[in-house]
Amino acid sequence: VLSRPVSDNYFAVMGIRPALGRLPRAGEDIGERPAAMMSYACWKRLGADPNIVGKTLFGQTIVGVTPESFTGGFFGLNGDLFVSMTDRREREQRDARRLMLLARLKPGVTRAQAQAEMSALAGQLASAYPEADKGRSVMVRRATLIPPDGIATAELALGILGAVALLVLLIACANVANLLLALAVGRRQEAAIKLALGAQRGRLVREFLRESALLCAMSAGIGYAIAWMVAERVSELKLDFGILGTFAFGINLHLDATVIGFTMLLTAIAIAATGLAPALYASSPGLAQIMSGEIVVGGHRKNVRRNVLVIAQVAICTLVLVGMGLCQRNLYNLRHVDTGFTARNLVAVQVYPSSQGIKEAQMPALYSRLREATAAIPGVEAVSLAAELPLSIGFESAMVQVAGREKIRVDRNTVDADYFSTFGIPVLEGRGFDAGDREGGPNVVVVNRKMAEMFWPGQDAVGQTFSVEENQSPGHLTFQAIVAGVVRNGKYEDFDEADKAVFYDPLSQHVRTGFSIVARTKGDPREWVQPLAKVVRYAGLTMVFDPQTFEGWTSFTLIQQRISAQIVEGLSAMGLLLAVIGLAGAISYSVSERRKELGIRVALGAGRAQLTRMILRQTLIVAGAGILIGALLGIAATALLRSKFFGIGVVEWTVLIPVGAGMLGVAICVAYFSARPWLAVNPMEAVRHA
């Protein structure tokens, strides 16, 4: 169950009426079991108990259930329980930036007026608190389900995915246009007779467009129905967040008037794209050419139209596949970036002893028992305890000040003496932690190379001192720390982050009531998941989440890239399928129209292998043109979006070569199997009945 802390007036400001119970009241955040609101999705998932109000769950007293339509102030993980904001540090710490302020303007007050008042207030705060608020400004924006700092990223991601979906739609339109063009060839004589009898060309065009409109409208209706079912299904969505576990949350997707209007617009465009060219072709005058046999043997203009459609299909499909390849390559590059530690064969589990009544004074003994029990598991090479895991949910931070310089916030991690050896992090200068670093002794820390260069450029960092403002207590205890060693830089929060300053303090001097047990194994770490879970259970602790391998706990960090890659992969598979169907239909129809020609060639001595090579050569010319155009469009798109990928070049040969070769292989296979039935026809029969 995921909790989200909110103020006691949160729901009143949002204008929410509870589906069950009542809203929290002021002051209910005091006590052992503070008030909490349960989300409708969580309430349904836990059995939809109508008597849930008043019960205690996870240390919280449930006072109400949110309405079904409410999914929180932001899109996605808004919490199963909306709990009172009991953490004093969140409300009193001047440099706490994780809180989001939501407000409702009074009637008649404009956003510009609110911005002016908030800017004046920000200026007063900057004057009153120069250290914490210096240089800070306030931006008043319309509240949306996307946080203000994520709007640009979300718009870009949705724009890219929307563009890929439209490209797949274009492939489908090209398929339908090719089909209608083939039908128009067969009906051209009918159209010529109608023209000869006095029918206007515009009337014939409208007749063909009506047929296209009927086809597109039916397809749009089916697509809308499928989209409605998908939206209903994913409104209750479960996602695996690695070390954080699997969460289900409601996102309340629905197809409103905007979606209907956009669907109608796309349908109108599809009607014009699929029906206009066949309609103009079938209704074009030229009775002499039609009666002379063009409808039988085909014509140059008709072949050009068909080839253009095939080239467009192949080009768009190539572009979509290049996009899929870039997403997969981006994921590969991120997973294989130099993290600064050895990620091989790591397995970890998070435990929270304080939630089970274990006091701080009991923690050192618990540390020893867990470490010894884990080390005793056969196949475990090294064991460490750490407050945070790299590349999971990020490190905590603390205010750091070196003599003569301003305070700055630096990330920190609290680890035991075996942390650096377990993770394979080399100590570049000085030493790591050892048994001599005990409570009551001098506070020692280990800093990374970036922090050493930032605070003591050109000097030996070992032996230097700085002050640390300890945020773990409401009093903001400040202590002096001595640098015992310098370790290599690494990746701490994101795979693609730039080098940043980080320091480590020893677990023996700074007790943590929640921490992770990390083990390095001799083989596949998945085989040590259950043994590690048994160690935790034997210690009398309850696991909130199952043990995870390195790949498991980093899945949260890469969730955006993973979801984008999966969506693009699905759209790419659909586009490739449509392109294959369209290519097969176009080649099959084209070869069927050339039966007479093929029969004459056979009668003159051409062998089946020669005819096959001829058709494959012609197919490769058309498909090759499409692949080349698609690859060039892919290069242009890569140059435009390169900054959004990690380790991707403008010309990414590792993507372009496999996609190009794969598309050529698909085209050859489709051409061969599509033409094969027609090449087996008796030449005399082909000449007689063509």
Side-chain angles (χ1 to χ4, degrees):
V1 174
L2 186 69
S3 298
R4 175 175 285 278
V6 296
S7 60
D8 52 25
N9 67 337
Y10 172 78
F11 293 100
V13 172
M14 298 293 285
I16 299 301
R17 293 180 179 272
L20 288 176
R22 61 173 176 83
L23 298 180
R25 301 190 183 105
E28 286 191 310
D29 58 350
I30 301 174
E32 294 184 0
R33 294 185 176 90
M37 287 285 289
M38 178 177 285
S39 71
Y40 187 89
C42 179
W43 178 66
K44 291 285 288 184
R45 191 172 71 249
L46 296 181
D49 181 5
N51 301 314
I52 191 68
V53 175
K55 293 185 177 180
T56 300
L57 291 177
F58 310 105
Q60 309 285 335
T61 300
I62 308 301
V63 299
V65 177
T66 66
E68 182 178 5
S69 59
F70 180 71
T71 58
F74 302 113
F75 178 84
L77 285 175
N78 284 285
D80 295 315
L81 294 180
F82 294 87
V83 301
S84 299
M85 194 176 295
T86 57
D87 191 345
R88 289 178 56 192
R89 288 176 295 149
E90 292 283 3
R91 295 181 291 184
E92 299 176 2
Q93 190 174 324
R94 293 301 315 170
D95 58 352
R97 307 298 180 192
R98 292 182 292 180
L99 299 181
M100 180 66 66
L101 180 64
L102 294 172
R104 187 176 297 277
L105 298 180
K106 292 181 178 179
V109 177
T110 65
R111 198 187 308 175
Q113 292 172 322
Q115 178 67 63
E117 292 188 18
M118 293 299 293
S119 297
L121 179 60
Q124 296 172 11
L125 291 173
S127 299
Y129 304 96
E131 287 189 1
D133 285 10
K134 182 180 180 181
R136 309 294 299 188
S137 60
V138 175
M139 179 70 71
V140 177
R141 291 190 176 183
R142 181 175 61 87
T144 66
L145 287 178
I146 302 175
D149 56 353
I151 291 178
T153 302
E155 288 179 344
L156 177 64
L158 291 176
I160 294 174
L161 294 178
V164 174
L166 287 176
L167 290 175
V168 175
L169 178 62
L170 285 177
I171 297 175
C173 288
N175 266 0
V176 177
N178 236 332
L179 172 64
L180 294 180
L181 183 60
L183 294 176
V185 172
R187 298 179 59 186
R188 201 173 182 207
Q189 191 169 18
E190 170 195 339
I193 294 173
K194 289 181 178 180
L195 288 172
L197 294 176
Q200 296 296 319
R201 189 184 182 194
R203 180 179 177 181
L204 292 179
V205 171
R206 288 193 298 272
E207 180 181 334
F208 280 97
L209 286 177
R210 276 196 299 269
E211 296 174 359
S212 175
L214 179 62
L215 182 63
C216 292
M218 291 176 61
S219 302
I222 296 173
Y224 187 87
I226 294 174
W228 181 82
M229 290 187 290
V230 171
E232 287 292 315
R233 183 174 181 83
V234 301
S235 287
E236 281 287 329
L237 192 61
K238 288 187 178 181
L239 287 179
D240 178 16
F241 288 90
I243 199 72
L244 296 176
T246 299
F247 293 100
F249 55 95
I251 53 179
N252 194 27
L253 293 178
H254 59 279
L255 307 182
D256 56 11
T258 303
V259 178
I260 296 175
F262 188 66
T263 303
M264 294 176 65
L265 175 62
L266 287 180
T267 303
I269 295 174
I271 291 170
T274 60
L276 192 58
L280 292 175
Y281 174 76
S283 62
S284 62
L287 301 181
Q289 292 88 342
I290 295 174
M291 298 304 180
S292 66
E294 182 189 0
I295 192 170
V296 177
V297 299
H300 176 71
R301 288 182 301 162
K302 179 179 60 181
N303 289 333
V304 168
R305 290 187 182 94
R306 185 180 296 115
N307 288 340
V308 168
L309 289 174
V310 171
I311 289 173
Q313 282 180 299
V314 174
I316 296 172
C317 185
T318 302
L319 175 59
V320 172
L321 290 176
V322 168
M324 180 194 72
L326 291 176
C327 289
Q328 295 296 337
R329 186 66 186 178
N330 180 59
L331 264 178
Y332 177 86
N333 290 343
L334 288 172
R335 289 192 180 278
H336 290 79
V337 71
D338 183 5
T339 59
F341 59 89
T342 305
R344 179 182 54 83
N345 296 349
L346 291 177
V347 61
V349 62
Q350 284 185 326
V351 292
Y352 302 93
S354 60
S355 64
Q356 297 175 244
I358 298 178
K359 307 301 182 183
E360 279 196 20
Q362 300 172 288
M363 288 296 172
L366 178 63
Y367 296 157
S368 298
R369 291 202 310 272
L370 290 173
R371 191 182 292 109
E372 291 171 2
T374 304
I377 299 174
V380 171
E381 295 181 335
V383 180
S384 175
L385 305 183
E388 309 290 350
L389 293 174
L391 297 170
S392 58
I393 56 175
F395 291 179
E396 63 178 71
S397 61
M399 294 299 295
V400 169
Q401 185 174 32
V402 176
R405 303 182 63 172
E406 292 185 358
K407 290 183 182 179
I408 66 169
R409 182 164 292 279
V410 177
D411 286 353
R412 70 185 295 194
N413 195 6
T414 304
V415 302
D416 68 0
D418 297 322
Y419 179 84
F420 302 114
S421 59
T422 300
F423 276 85
I425 301 175
V427 178
L428 305 178
E429 301 173 21
R431 64 173 179 87
F433 301 127
D434 56 32
D437 301 322
R438 297 184 177 277
E439 188 175 3
N443 292 294
V444 297
V445 296
V446 172
V447 303
N448 70 345
R449 170 64 72 187
K450 179 66 176 180
M451 184 169 177
E453 293 173 348
M454 179 185 297
F455 287 103
W456 305 283
Q459 304 178 49
D460 185 2
V462 177
Q464 301 284 355
T465 62
F466 60 91
S467 63
V468 179
E469 188 175 286
E470 176 64 81
N471 295 329
Q472 295 297 317
S473 60
H476 300 282
L477 175 66
T478 299
F479 63 88
Q480 288 295 119
I482 303 173
V483 178
V486 179
V487 296
R488 183 186 180 192
N489 293 335
K491 304 297 182 183
Y492 308 102
E493 189 171 357
D494 294 308
F495 282 92
D496 57 348
E497 69 185 5
D499 289 341
K500 64 178 180 180
V502 170
F503 74 91
Y504 303 85
D505 40 26
L507 193 62
S508 56
Q509 293 183 336
H510 303 271
V511 174
R512 293 292 181 262
T513 56
F515 54 90
S516 294
I517 308 168
V518 186
R520 180 175 298 282
T521 65
K522 289 184 178 179
D524 186 349
R526 291 174 294 184
E527 298 179 4
W528 277 263
V529 166
Q530 291 305 317
L532 185 56
K534 288 181 180 179
V535 166
V536 176
R537 286 195 291 266
Y538 289 160
L541 301 177
T542 300
M543 290 183 301
V544 180
F545 309 117
D546 293 331
Q548 295 279 340
T549 64
F550 174 77
E551 289 74 17
W553 85 60
T554 57
S555 61
F556 176 72
T557 305
L558 297 173
I559 187 168
Q560 179 181 344
Q561 292 86 351
R562 285 167 45 221
I563 292 176
S564 299
Q566 289 172 3
I567 294 176
V568 174
E569 186 176 338
L571 292 173
S572 299
M574 186 182 302
L576 179 61
L577 177 62
L578 291 173
V580 168
I581 293 173
L583 193 61
I587 294 172
S588 180
Y589 184 78
S590 176
V591 175
S592 70
E593 284 192 316
R594 300 174 63 183
R595 283 178 297 172
K596 183 176 181 179
E597 174 195 344
L598 296 176
I600 294 173
R601 289 179 179 272
V602 171
L604 293 176
R608 184 172 178 178
Q610 291 177 297
L611 297 180
T612 302
R613 285 196 298 270
M614 178 187 71
I615 294 173
L616 291 180
R617 183 172 59 252
Q618 294 170 350
T619 301
L620 287 179
I621 292 174
V622 175
I627 293 170
L628 179 60
I629 294 173
L632 292 175
L633 291 174
I635 292 173
T638 304
L640 184 64
L641 301 172
R642 183 185 175 191
S643 61
K644 306 303 177 183
F645 294 105
F646 178 75
I648 297 295
V650 175
V651 181
E652 190 61 40
W653 294 111
T654 57
V655 173
L656 294 175
I657 292 177
V659 169
M663 285 298 297
L664 277 177
V666 168
I668 292 173
C669 292
V670 170
Y672 176 76
F673 287 106
S674 300
R676 185 178 179 183
W678 300 105
L679 296 178
V681 175
N682 186 292
M684 297 304 297
E685 292 293 327
V687 173
R688 182 181 301 114
H689 296 291

